[in-house]
Amino acid sequence: MKYLFITDCPEIAKYVDQCGVDRIFVDLEVFGKVERQGDRDTVISRHRLENISRVKAAVNQAEVLVRLNPLNPDSVEEIENILDQGADCLMLPMFQSVEEIDWFCQRVNQRASVVPLVETVGAMKGLAEIVRVPGVSQVHFGLNDLHLDLELNFMFELMSNGMVEKMAEICRNANMPFGVGGISTMNQGLVSGKLVLGEHARLGSEWVILSRSFHQRATNLLELKERINLPKELQEVNKIYKTLIERSEFEVEHDKQLLYQIINNVALNLQSKRTGS
């Protein structure tokens, strides 16, 4: 399993690179995020363009991935500015069609890896074509915005209702590497990180974003080190993942059913709270 860590702080980037994180995720997306997320307790980054090159200079092994804004009249300039900063990978969010990805790949023109973020119904429906667009190197499934677009109660319902499995199958059939959403530390979250990691192992997912439980909203390295022992947590994830990929068929199915049961219970509880029933 490979990990993405969201930060534009060079000191944190250097540290998490040393801890074994594979990509530093600089998040420049701001257009429409507040409106989409509403009053949900989600993290909206305020990263800065000029920090991309600083993060790039701070790391030795990790790649630097940058999430742009959705396509807009200034996208050409934004792409060029990000490439000038030295980004290794560009992630396009909130697209609806294969034509948008094709245009984006042509603009990037193999100067960086392109990672479409599948987080709309249109993107999900067009996935079989998207994975065959020249220039696409990997796909990531964005569970939060996709569950909002589908008007579901809980983002992990996309696992229990089979949608993630269908998308994973499309990627596997096309030999396209993919990742799925984010993950909490192993014993935190509405659904335990261990159970979610088990589904990654079952589906063949190769990438996952380390969620807020791994960074604790830290804004500098001192805060991060005070709030979490990241090397220890990543060591635990790696250890558990090794056991998960060695499970028997019975164990895999048992863990899947347990995960889906917990997800569906959480979804029902969230629905009840929102409807007041």
Side-chain angles (χ1 to χ4, degrees):
M1 183 59 67
K2 299 176 183 177
Y3 309 117
L4 299 102
F5 190 100
I6 301 176
T7 186
D8 74 335
C9 171
E11 287 185 333
I12 292 178
K14 181 178 181 179
Y15 173 67
V16 301
D17 176 33
Q18 294 168 347
C19 292
V21 167
D22 300 278
R23 278 184 183 158
I24 309 301
F25 187 142
V26 178
D27 189 5
L28 299 184
E29 183 191 5
V30 292
F31 294 171
K33 288 196 78 170
V34 173
E35 292 80 1
R36 293 198 308 273
Q37 303 303 330
D39 59 355
R40 290 173 171 82
D41 183 25
T42 54
V43 177
I44 297 178
S45 301
R46 303 295 182 188
H47 293 177
R48 300 174 65 87
L49 173 70
E50 59 268 26
N51 284 341
I52 297 171
S53 59
R54 296 167 185 162
V55 166
K56 178 70 174 176
V59 298
N60 289 319
Q61 299 295 327
E63 294 181 319
V64 178
L65 176 144
V66 180
R67 176 161 60 183
L68 298 79
N69 282 298
L71 292 183
N72 65 85
D74 296 321
S75 288
V76 171
E77 181 180 1
E78 186 176 21
I79 291 168
E80 295 303 320
N81 288 339
I82 290 170
L83 290 172
D84 286 346
Q85 287 280 318
D88 299 296
C89 315
L90 272 61
M91 175 180 277
L92 182 66
M94 298 307 296
F95 64 92
Q96 296 281 350
S97 68
V98 65
E99 288 79 13
E100 291 171 86
I101 292 298
D102 186 50
W103 179 90
F104 187 75
C105 287
Q106 290 184 46
R107 294 304 312 181
V108 175
N109 193 25
Q110 298 183 333
R111 290 175 290 172
S113 300
V114 170
V115 182
L117 182 59
V118 177
E119 56 181 350
T120 67
V121 172
M124 181 178 66
K125 289 181 176 179
L127 182 59
E129 296 177 82
I130 289 163
V131 295
R132 290 177 169 80
V133 172
V136 172
S137 60
Q138 176 195 332
V139 173
H140 201 88
F141 308 149
L143 303 188
N144 190 45
D145 276 306
L146 184 53
H147 101 277
L148 295 176
D149 206 15
L150 289 163
E151 299 183 347
L152 300 175
N153 293 297
F154 184 39
M155 63 181 177
F156 284 117
E157 282 184 276
L158 289 158
M159 287 185 171
S160 63
N161 68 14
M163 289 183 175
V164 168
E165 182 149 17
K166 290 177 182 177
M167 292 191 290
E169 183 178 9
I170 289 170
C171 290
R172 291 196 305 269
N173 289 341
N175 294 316
M176 176 62 65
F178 68 94
V180 182
I183 195 169
S184 67
T185 50
M186 293 297 91
N187 296 310
Q188 292 188 9
L190 290 173
V191 180
S192 83
K194 181 178 179 179
L195 281 174
V196 174
L197 189 63
E199 189 70 348
H200 278 264
R202 185 182 75 84
L203 295 171
S205 166
E206 298 180 28
W207 290 87
V208 67
I209 299 167
L210 300 176
S211 73
R212 75 182 66 177
S213 62
F214 282 95
H215 62 72
Q216 302 289 322
R217 300 181 189 265
T219 58
N220 58 61
L221 183 56
L222 179 61
E223 287 181 356
L224 181 64
K225 288 184 173 181
E226 287 177 343
R227 296 174 186 180
I228 186 171
N229 185 337
L230 187 61
K232 180 181 177 182
E233 292 293 344
L234 288 180
Q235 185 179 30
E236 179 70 8
V237 176
N238 289 331
K239 178 182 176 182
I240 289 174
Y241 184 74
K242 186 175 185 298
T243 65
L244 290 170
I245 60 176
E246 295 173 349
R247 291 173 296 174
S248 67
E249 289 185 13
F250 175 82
E251 290 171 323
V252 169
E253 183 63 22
H254 172 272
D255 290 349
K256 183 185 84 168
Q257 294 302 328
L258 177 60
L259 171 66
Y260 289 4
Q261 181 182 4
I262 293 172
I263 288 171
N264 291 335
N265 286 339
V266 171
L268 284 173
N269 288 335
L270 290 173
Q271 182 182 35
S272 296
K273 288 179 181 179
R274 287 176 186 142
T275 60
S277 59

